[in-house]
């Protein structure tokens, strides 16, 4: 599973369907999930562990002096040009494909910025990343952050984004074409027998082989550590002594990794919707599964208070609501419903589950989910859930997919050893996953299998990030976050030597810019005045 930032627009008047379709999307499909959210830096084996390891090593800082072999990269002069988006300019930078062998080739990175508008003294560049892995930071800053961040922040900072290597405009990894992805997303992700298990494994193999054929060299060099090192080149090229950064979801892993590698160059860092880098993939999968169950229970309690809830009436328990949804999924497993889709797709169990998960990231989508479930369950019209699922996968109306799914798997499968190596290993832990989430547990357990078939071996392992010597870093956690459980924010804040934990007591994924004036004021004060919150500050 991957995570994405989901900004909420206070001025959106276009309706829930358009809002959910146009916002930055919030999760990858079940089939595209694998090592879940994490990445790591040191080389490791392909073994797996159900229990959280207790890694003794922390991410080691790199030497402060720039190696001579990298001087040409750090000395680049970007050529800025218009990019067709009012107020923004774009450039392309180079980074070494392999930092261990800088002479072996380059990777091209897409960069965009919107200069500080004033008034007030310019504070430098503010790099933003919406998460993923696989989310386009360039698209995010042009469509949201560069125009939607608080005016006082945009007045003082150049708003900047770089698509990480392998993502969107930065030499994107490609794996399957549109029709092939349609087939992939409809594959039964909760196999009932050997034949269905073989079909799921075949889908994972086809996906992995497509990625390997497209980018055999790049696929070995899309780790989070390499992306963080790329950000230091961006910092230098922009002329900033320190990196100021707001990262959401997976972006917190990227930002924390930067701080661990370059603690003396870490400026004002906001890590919103934090991840815990010390956990192995299987444990991360399991804890995120429980996070989605927490979010679903909040949705269930809200749903039964509405007159049109199709999953139960007032007073129905969250457990019963979950049972009713699970029964609907099982019905779709044998009898998909129509959607009116131009390409003939029906609403399958997999697509319906994906659509429901998509709505768990933002309580602003709960009304739409309720309407979509009502249409599917009572009117045999699956178009609403299909719309949610398509947004989740970043599939457009013409049947084309962004490279989000491909980059997501490429980074995750390189960053950590796989959760499982065989279907038998998945079956053994199904009860544990189903206990964590009766509704989503089975599908999320099977989703964690796909990195077992990845064409390159993982180069990372779980580790701590301490970033000793870094300036204060703000770590933000939301108590009922579905994708990055609150415990992860607590864990990351406990690892980072200079962290200040900021808590949002509420629902949804991430907190900054999502409606809490307390959160926004606190983060703005930090970004604008360098004043970090008191450790443990809570907002609602």
């Amino acid at each position: 599973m991957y995570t994405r930032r989901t900004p909420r627009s206070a001025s959106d008047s276009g309706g829930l369907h358009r809002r959910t379709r146009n916002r930055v999307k919030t999760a990858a499909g079940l089939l595209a999930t694998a090592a879940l959210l994490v990445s790591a830096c040191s080389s490791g084996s392909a073994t797996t562990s159900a229990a959280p390891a207790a890694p003794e090593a922390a991410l080691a800082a790199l030497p402060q002096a720039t190696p001579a072999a990298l001087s040409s990269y750090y000395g680049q002069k970007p050529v800025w040009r218009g990019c067709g988006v009012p107020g923004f300019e774009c450039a392309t930078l180079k980074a070494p494909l392999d930092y261990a062998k800088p002479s072996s080739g380059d990777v091209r990175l897409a960069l965009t910025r919107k200069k500080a508008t004033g008034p007030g003294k310019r504070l430098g560049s503010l790099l933003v990343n919406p998460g993923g892995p696989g989310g386009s930071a360039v698209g995010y800053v042009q469509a949201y952050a560069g125009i939607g961040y608080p005016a006082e922040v945009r007045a003082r900072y150049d708003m900047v984004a770089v698509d990480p290597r392998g993502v969107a405009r930065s030499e994107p990894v490609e794996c399957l074409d549109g029709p092939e992805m349609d087939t992939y997303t409809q594959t039964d992700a909760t196999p009932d027998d050997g034949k269905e298990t073989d079909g799921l494994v075949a889908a994972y193999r086809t996906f992995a082989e497509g990625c390997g054929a497209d980018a055999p060299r790049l696929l070995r060099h899309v780790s989070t550590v390499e992306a963080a090192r790329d950000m230091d080149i961006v910092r230098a090229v922009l002329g900033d002594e320190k990196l100021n950064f707001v990262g959401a979801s997976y972006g917190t892993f990227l930002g924390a990794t930067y701080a661990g590698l370059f603690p003396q160059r870490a400026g004002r860092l906001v890590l919103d919707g934090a991840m815990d880098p010390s956990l192995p993939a299987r444990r991360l999968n399991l804890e995120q599964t429980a996070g989605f169950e927490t979010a679903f229970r909040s949705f269930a309690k809200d749903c039964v208070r509405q007159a049109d809830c199709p999953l139960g009436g007032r007073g129905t328990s969250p457990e019963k609501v979950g049972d009713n949804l699970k029964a609907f999924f099982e019905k779709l497993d044998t009898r998909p419903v129509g959607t009116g889709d131009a390409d003939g797709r029906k609403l399958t169990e997999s697509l319906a589950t994906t659509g429901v998960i998509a709505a768990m990231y933002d309580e602003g989508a709960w009304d739409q989910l309720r309407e979509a479930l009502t249409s599917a369950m009572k009117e045999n019209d699956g178009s609403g859930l299909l719309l949610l699922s398509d947004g989740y996968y970043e599939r457009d109306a013409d049947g084309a997919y962004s490279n989000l799914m491909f980059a997501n798997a490429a980074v995750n499968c390189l960053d950590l050893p796989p959760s499982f190596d065989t279907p038998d290993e998945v079956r053994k832990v199904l009860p544990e996953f189903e206990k964590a989430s009766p509704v989503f547990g089975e599908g999320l357990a099977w989703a964690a299998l796909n990195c077992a078939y990845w064409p390159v071996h993982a180069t990372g392992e779980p580790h701590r990030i301490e970033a000793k010597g870094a300036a204060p870093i703000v770590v933000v956690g939301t108590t009922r976050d579905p994708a990055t459980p609150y415990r992860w924010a607590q864990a990351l804040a406990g690892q980072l030597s200079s962290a200040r934990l900021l808590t949002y007591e509420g629902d949804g994924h991430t907190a900054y810019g999502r409606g809490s004036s307390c959160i926004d004021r606190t983060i703005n004060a930090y970004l604008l005045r360098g004043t970090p919150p008191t450790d443990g500050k809570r907002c609602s």
Side-chain angles (χ1 to χ4, degrees):
M1 185 64 63
Y2 89 108
T3 60
R4 294 285 298 280
R5 172 66 182 269
T6 56
R8 179 182 304 152
S9 171
S11 61
D12 185 358
S13 59
L16 286 168
H17 285 267
R18 191 174 73 195
R19 178 174 65 197
T20 300
R21 186 61 186 258
N22 290 345
R23 68 185 182 182
V24 178
K25 309 307 187 299
T26 56
L30 295 178
L31 287 173
T33 62
L36 284 189
L37 310 164
V38 296
S39 56
C41 64
S42 58
S43 61
S45 68
T47 60
T48 58
S49 173
E56 297 178 357
L59 178 62
L62 293 171
Q64 292 191 46
T66 301
L70 299 179
S71 60
S72 63
Y73 296 103
Y74 276 79
Q76 294 176 86
K77 303 297 183 184
V79 178
W80 295 101
R81 64 191 185 281
C83 16
V85 182
F88 289 89
E89 51 189 1
C90 294
T92 301
L93 299 179
K94 292 181 180 180
L97 175 68
D98 184 351
Y99 277 92
K101 300 177 181 178
S103 62
S104 64
D106 299 330
V107 59
R108 294 180 301 276
L109 304 174
L111 185 68
T112 191
R113 75 176 177 185
K114 185 179 183 183
K115 290 185 177 180
T117 57
K121 181 181 178 182
R122 179 181 173 276
L123 295 173
S125 305
L126 181 63
L127 205 67
V128 297
N129 183 279
S136 173
V138 170
Y140 175 72
V141 77
Q142 290 179 349
Y144 172 69
I147 57 178
Y149 263 37
E152 57 268 36
V153 173
R154 292 182 283 116
R156 306 286 299 282
Y157 284 100
D158 291 348
M159 299 297 296
V160 179
V162 58
D163 278 343
R165 50 177 64 203
V167 174
R169 300 162 178 84
S170 294
E171 299 196 19
V173 174
E174 302 288 346
C175 304
L176 304 176
D177 62 23
E180 290 170 336
M181 273 297 291
D182 281 345
T183 298
Y184 182 75
T185 60
Q186 295 175 77
T187 302
D188 190 342
T190 55
D192 299 317
D193 53 36
K195 181 179 179 180
E196 290 184 352
T197 301
D198 290 344
L200 181 60
V201 169
Y204 287 150
R205 290 188 184 278
T206 298
F207 186 96
E209 290 167 0
C211 297
D214 174 75
R217 292 188 68 214
L218 180 62
L219 218 59
R220 292 173 169 80
H221 297 287
V222 293
S223 71
T224 298
V225 165
E226 289 162 311
R229 297 192 69 172
D230 293 344
M231 290 202 305
D232 197 53
I233 292 177
V234 172
R235 174 204 58 78
V237 167
L238 293 172
D240 293 323
E241 292 185 7
K242 294 191 175 185
L243 180 80
N244 301 309
F245 177 81
V246 177
S249 197
Y250 163 80
T252 68
F253 202 154
L254 188 59
T257 299
Y258 180 89
L261 295 172
F262 307 103
Q264 304 303 324
R265 299 176 192 166
R268 299 171 187 177
L269 270 57
V270 177
L271 308 180
D272 184 13
M275 292 173 48
D276 180 359
S278 71
L279 297 179
R282 191 184 299 186
R283 183 57 181 263
L284 282 161
N285 278 263
L286 185 62
E287 292 192 6
Q288 191 182 53
T289 296
F292 278 108
E293 181 66 19
T294 297
F296 176 76
R297 285 174 171 264
S298 290
F299 164 75
K301 292 175 182 177
D302 177 78
C303 185
V304 299
R305 289 196 291 263
Q306 313 303 323
D308 60 342
C309 179
L311 297 171
R314 187 174 294 273
T316 304
S317 68
E319 291 81 6
K320 181 59 177 176
V321 171
D323 290 344
N324 293 339
L325 181 59
K326 185 70 172 177
F328 171 61
F329 288 159
E330 291 172 352
K331 180 180 178 181
L332 291 175
D333 191 28
T334 56
R335 296 193 300 278
V337 302
T339 63
D341 178 60
D343 295 311
R345 293 177 300 157
K346 291 187 175 182
L347 183 69
T348 62
E349 178 187 15
S350 294
L351 291 174
T353 303
T354 301
V356 173
I357 284 179
M360 292 299 100
Y361 284 77
D362 183 359
E363 66 272 28
W366 288 356
D367 288 348
Q368 180 185 357
L369 175 60
R370 196 173 64 250
E371 295 167 8
L373 284 169
T374 298
S375 295
M377 297 175 70
K378 297 187 176 182
E379 301 166 14
N380 288 324
D381 176 6
S383 59
L385 284 173
L386 184 65
L387 179 66
L388 282 166
S389 178
D390 284 350
Y392 197 77
Y393 284 114
E394 291 196 356
R395 181 192 192 273
D396 65 26
D398 296 326
Y401 290 76
S402 77
N403 100 304
L404 172 65
M405 301 281 79
F406 315 134
N408 176 257
V411 176
N412 279 335
C413 294
L414 194 62
D415 274 349
L416 277 185
S419 298
F420 306 106
D421 292 322
T422 67
D424 285 343
E425 290 183 4
V426 178
R427 292 190 187 94
K428 289 178 182 178
V429 300
L430 279 178
E432 191 174 3
F433 275 75
E434 290 176 315
K435 181 179 179 181
S437 175
V439 178
F440 305 117
E442 182 182 8
L444 292 178
W446 283 107
L449 178 64
N450 80 327
C451 280
Y453 309 102
W454 204 242
V456 299
H457 291 296
T459 57
E461 290 181 338
H463 60 275
R464 294 173 57 83
I465 299 179
E466 298 176 353
K468 292 181 179 179
I473 297 172
V474 177
V475 176
V476 187
T478 298
T479 55
R480 293 186 294 278
D481 191 315
T484 52
Y486 178 63
R487 194 206 66 76
W488 293 357
Q490 294 175 302
L492 181 61
Q495 294 170 36
L496 292 169
S497 61
S498 61
R500 305 290 178 87
L501 178 62
L502 174 62
T503 298
Y504 173 57
E505 298 177 348
D507 296 294
H509 182 42
T510 73
Y512 186 45
R514 298 192 67 248
S516 169
S517 59
C518 172
I519 290 288
D520 292 353
R521 283 196 309 270
T522 302
I523 292 177
N524 291 345
Y526 171 66
L527 291 175
L528 296 171
R529 297 188 291 277
T531 306
T534 302
D535 188 33
K537 179 179 175 66
R538 303 182 77 88
C539 295
S540 59

